[in-house]
Amino acid sequence: MKGGVGGGGGGGGGGGGGSSYALHPKRRWKGFVVAVLGLVILSMLVPLIFLLGLHNGFHSSGYVSEPRNSVPRSFDHYSNPRTWNQSEIKDVTESLGKEDGNGTIVEEATQVSPPKKGLSAPPSVVLKPPSGTNHTNIVAEVIKSVGESEKICELKFGSYCLWRQEHREDMKDKIVKKLKDRLFVARAYYPSVAKLPAHDKLSRELKQNIQELERVLSEASTDAELPLQIQKKLNRMEVAITKAKSVTLDCNNVDKKLRQILDMTEDEADFHTRQSAFLYQLAIHTTPKSHHCLSMRLTVEYFKSPLDIEVQQHEKYMNPALQHYVIFSKNVLASTVVINSTVMHTEESGNQVFHVLTDGQNYFAMKQWFSRNTFREAMVQVVNIEDLNLDHHEEGTPLGLSLPLEFRISYGSATNKQPTLPMRTEYLSIFSHSHYLLPEIFQNLKKVVILDDDIVVQQDLSALWSINMEGKVNGAMEFCAVRLGQLKGYLGEKVVDGNSCAWMSGLNIIDLVSWREQNVTGKYRRLIQELSMGEESALQASLLSFEDLVFALDDNWVFSGLGHNYHLNTQAIRRAAVLHYNGNMKPWLELGIPKYRKYWKKFLNPDEQYLTECNVNP
């Protein structure tokens, strides 16, 4: 027995020894079971929490979304070299304080303040590549606060925002829009009210009103098509919505629905804004149908009865004793207004010679037009720049006409007294590549006056020929709202005098003798090669080529801004010798500013045969 007991004890001892090693697997299994049960319970609780809406207690009840930047996302494309060929973003931190030539005070600007948390600050200078036209945009913003939508619109779309404000129309079909709005709100409240048994009557009332408005809107799209009793139905819907708002609801569904509607409305509004801006730009850069008709008719008439009287007048065209005006243009009517307005205000038109430089597409139309029309005793020469044989031009490379380039500069200023001044937009017009061919084209001339084709002359320009330019090359209007020092980051370290004002084309006196001595064309071509940025480099190369070579004309000579500014001083317009329609809203376009168009239109002959046949009525 003892042995048995001992054996049992030994067995027990052996069993005891075995059990000491078997405890670990049991504990592990017990831990696994607890973990699995916990996961199962958690997997059941998470959907339950979302179904009951309890997850809203863990964060703010407001709608959580990705914050919208105050700067339009399209600016990201400007700084992306994979999207655009060339672009730069530089800071402009200098002040913009001086009265400009248009009698408008430019307040002194402060440096851009650090962006607030959660908002991305706009670039100070944004260079937008040209889209196949002679308009290039530089948006230079120096503002203190960046939250205003109008400033962002001005920064993004330029003069389109000004045009939109002036042509804002009253809302049409207000009742239809109000019905749709009430229908959206009712649909947002109905699902939550329908879940409450105590409010069955209100649920049926909402449903009935929703169905009635849906039926009405399916049959009517304008206020005129609405039934006579629509106001009663709208009042019943308003009452039902008021009752639904007074009911205690779980507002999460309503909140989500309304915010969905808000997001959809914002996206739709943004889409229509972009679409309108695109159509605005399309209208600006597209030749009007009537103008195209005029050009085609003139070209056909030229080949029916070609006239060539320029051979007899070639000596007069190159006589340095006469007053020579140069116009770069592809627009028959625009160049006509420039010539006619200049001739009408001079006493000795026989001393005036106008050289219209155009391209091959418009050459024959220009020839036919100016052979049919006379401008007192003045002479008009039409030159096809593509047919010129210049010494320094590379063989095999066609010469193309490039019109003066316009750079849109939008900027705002802020002071302690007025921290949110409105955004200002100016169009800085500058010489193009074709302008630097003048010394080679007119080798026998000593001085010429360049007139842009978007100007109107109101006084005699003969006094320009007696101005002493003190050895300077380019007599131009200075634009001191922007100084070269402010563009130093954009122009590079080559700027010698940072306080020098930018200058504008439009009316320019060119001393060709000094031009050749200073080799301005060679300097410009060298800068173009160094910059190698296409048309965008024209601003940099022009400003640097004429640095310290610009003679500032008196402010009374040129009054600019008639192509983009609706709020110019009428008295200043009448006093100016030359009106410059710089900007997108040219006077020959339907988008032109109506109150300024009359100064341009009066120099056209409305009884001209081709204008009548092509329905040209600017």
Side-chain angles (χ1 to χ4, degrees):
M1 291 295 293
K2 289 182 180 179
V5 173
S19 65
S20 65
Y21 289 100
L23 285 175
H24 298 288
K26 289 182 179 179
R27 291 173 181 171
R28 285 199 300 270
W29 279 108
K30 191 179 294 184
F32 289 150
V33 170
V34 172
V36 170
L37 288 175
L39 290 174
V40 171
I41 294 172
L42 186 62
S43 64
M44 295 173 63
L45 285 176
V46 170
L48 188 60
I49 289 173
F50 278 90
L51 288 174
L52 296 178
L54 299 177
H55 63 287
N56 289 320
F58 298 106
H59 54 73
S60 173
S61 60
Y63 181 70
V64 180
S65 63
E66 184 180 356
R68 295 178 181 268
N69 292 336
S70 60
V71 180
R73 289 174 291 177
S74 59
F75 286 127
D76 299 337
H77 299 296
Y78 299 160
S79 59
N80 187 353
R82 292 173 297 178
T83 304
W84 303 108
N85 293 331
Q86 294 289 344
S87 60
E88 291 186 359
I89 299 179
K90 301 295 182 181
D91 293 330
V92 178
T93 57
E94 298 290 333
S95 62
L96 297 176
K98 188 174 181 180
E99 182 176 356
D100 63 6
N102 293 348
T104 306
I105 301 296
V106 182
E107 297 289 342
E108 185 177 1
T110 58
Q111 188 170 350
V112 178
S113 59
K116 295 182 179 180
K117 192 172 183 180
L119 295 175
S120 58
S124 296
V125 175
V126 180
L127 189 64
K128 183 178 180 181
S131 57
T133 65
N134 64 316
H135 292 277
T136 305
N137 298 330
I138 291 183
V139 184
E141 186 193 15
V142 182
I143 57 177
K144 197 170 183 179
S145 72
V146 295
E148 295 81 359
S149 60
E150 287 303 324
K151 289 184 178 180
I152 297 302
C153 180
E154 187 84 3
L155 182 67
K156 184 176 180 181
F157 297 116
S159 60
Y160 162 71
C161 303
L162 304 176
W163 178 85
R164 184 183 65 177
Q165 292 175 6
E166 292 294 327
H167 294 80
R168 190 181 299 276
E169 298 180 356
D170 294 334
M171 183 185 296
K172 298 179 180 179
D173 304 318
K174 293 182 179 180
I175 300 179
V176 170
K177 290 180 172 61
K178 190 172 183 179
L179 289 174
K180 291 180 179 179
D181 178 69
R182 297 295 88 189
L183 186 59
F184 277 130
V185 176
R187 285 172 176 170
Y189 276 97
Y190 175 72
S192 298
V193 175
K195 295 178 182 179
L196 303 176
H199 296 280
D200 287 341
K201 183 179 179 181
L202 177 59
S203 176
R204 290 193 300 270
E205 185 179 354
L206 276 174
K207 183 178 181 180
Q208 181 181 358
N209 284 300
I210 289 173
Q211 291 175 347
E212 287 184 1
L213 291 191
E214 286 178 342
R215 183 169 58 255
V216 169
L217 292 175
S218 66
E219 299 173 355
S221 58
T222 62
D223 288 355
E225 298 173 350
L226 293 173
L228 297 177
Q229 65 276 19
I230 189 60
Q231 190 61 44
K232 294 182 180 179
K233 295 183 179 181
L234 181 59
N235 292 338
R236 287 199 296 268
M237 175 62 86
E238 294 280 3
V239 172
I241 292 175
T242 303
K243 291 179 181 179
K245 289 181 178 179
S246 64
V247 175
T248 303
L249 300 172
D250 182 6
C251 296
N252 293 318
N253 293 332
V254 179
D255 181 72
K256 290 178 182 177
K257 186 66 177 179
L258 291 177
R259 291 188 181 277
Q260 275 184 344
I261 297 171
L262 177 63
D263 288 342
M264 290 171 59
T265 305
E266 288 181 348
D267 292 341
E268 186 177 0
D270 182 67
F271 167 77
H272 286 297
T273 300
R274 292 175 182 273
Q275 185 184 52
S276 300
F278 170 76
L279 295 175
Y280 172 83
Q281 295 293 334
L282 185 64
I284 288 168
H285 300 307
T286 304
T287 303
K289 182 179 180 180
S290 57
H291 290 217
H292 182 71
C293 167
L294 176 63
S295 180
M296 293 297 100
R297 288 294 304 273
L298 290 171
T299 302
V300 171
E301 289 297 325
Y302 174 83
F303 285 102
K304 285 183 178 179
S305 56
L307 300 175
D308 194 0
I309 59 175
E310 290 190 357
V311 177
Q312 303 174 358
Q313 299 182 349
H314 180 73
E315 295 182 358
K316 294 183 179 180
Y317 291 151
M318 296 303 167
N319 185 355
L322 301 178
Q323 299 175 2
H324 294 266
Y325 297 89
V326 178
I327 303 170
F328 294 87
S329 180
K330 299 178 182 179
N331 190 322
V332 174
L333 297 182
S335 54
T336 300
V337 169
V338 175
I339 296 174
N340 197 23
S341 62
T342 305
V343 171
M344 292 293 291
H345 291 94
T346 188
E347 296 180 358
E348 299 179 358
S349 61
N351 293 332
Q352 294 180 330
V353 180
F354 294 89
H355 306 272
V356 181
L357 276 65
T358 187
D359 58 357
Q361 182 178 351
N362 297 280
Y363 173 71
F364 301 105
M366 291 272 196
K367 289 270 289 185
Q368 178 66 17
W369 177 265
F370 288 113
S371 65
R372 285 174 50 91
N373 296 276
T374 59
F375 303 89
R376 297 177 63 184
E377 299 176 1
M379 293 170 288
V380 180
Q381 179 193 25
V382 181
V383 180
N384 183 2
I385 199 170
E386 298 174 3
D387 291 341
L388 295 177
N389 185 15
L390 303 180
D391 297 335
H392 296 81
H393 182 67
E394 298 180 3
E395 294 184 2
T397 304
L399 269 174
L401 175 68
S402 54
L403 302 178
L405 300 172
E406 287 187 342
F407 295 85
R408 175 171 63 88
I409 300 179
S410 296
Y411 57 90
S413 57
T415 62
N416 293 329
K417 296 181 180 179
Q418 293 178 297
T420 57
L421 290 175
M423 180 73 68
R424 287 176 52 97
T425 296
E426 297 289 349
Y427 283 79
L428 184 65
S429 55
I430 212 75
F431 284 176
S432 67
H433 302 310
S434 298
H435 288 72
Y436 293 89
L437 302 175
L438 289 177
E440 300 178 57
I441 298 175
F442 304 103
Q443 298 180 5
N444 298 329
L445 302 183
K446 298 180 180 179
K447 181 183 290 188
V448 296
V449 172
I450 302 177
L451 304 175
D452 285 0
D453 66 353
D454 57 352
I455 70 166
V456 171
V457 179
Q458 298 189 127
Q459 297 178 17
D460 190 2
L461 300 183
S462 300
L464 293 173
W465 300 92
S466 60
I467 293 178
N468 182 11
M469 294 176 55
E470 302 173 358
K472 304 294 184 179
V473 176
N474 182 6
M477 288 295 301
E478 290 191 331
F479 182 67
C480 291
V482 175
R483 299 180 182 272
L484 298 187
Q486 296 170 318
L487 301 175
K488 194 170 184 179
Y490 175 62
L491 299 176
E493 298 298 328
K494 298 179 180 181
V495 178
V496 178
D497 185 8
N499 291 324
S500 298
C501 300
W503 57 272
M504 296 180 63
S505 67
L507 173 67
N508 300 86
I509 310 172
I510 301 299
D511 188 341
L512 293 176
V513 177
S514 298
W515 184 306
R516 298 183 184 101
E517 292 176 354
Q518 298 288 342
N519 192 22
V520 176
T521 301
K523 184 178 180 180
Y524 172 81
R525 290 173 177 170
R526 184 173 65 255
L527 288 170
I528 288 294
Q529 291 178 355
E530 293 175 1
L531 298 169
S532 64
M533 290 177 59
E535 280 193 358
E536 298 170 20
S537 61
L539 174 64
Q540 298 163 281
S542 291
L543 293 177
L544 294 174
S545 298
F546 286 102
E547 188 176 12
D548 199 33
L549 297 177
V550 176
F551 177 81
L553 296 178
D554 189 86
D555 291 343
N556 294 326
W557 276 109
V558 181
F559 190 84
S560 60
L562 280 78
H564 66 89
N565 193 340
Y566 282 88
H567 308 292
L568 297 177
N569 190 325
T570 305
Q571 296 298 327
I573 292 176
R574 293 174 180 173
R575 289 195 303 266
V578 174
L579 302 179
H580 191 187
Y581 290 81
N582 59 317
N584 286 330
M585 290 174 271
K586 302 299 184 185
W588 54 83
L589 298 175
E590 292 185 4
L591 293 174
I593 302 176
K595 61 181 178 181
Y596 304 147
R597 196 182 298 168
K598 61 183 180 181
Y599 302 108
W600 184 87
K601 188 176 180 179
K602 66 182 180 181
F603 292 104
L604 283 179
N605 180 15
D607 299 328
E608 220 286 338
Q609 175 186 350
Y610 292 125
L611 297 185
T612 305
E613 292 178 356
C614 289
N615 195 24
V616 177
N617 186 23

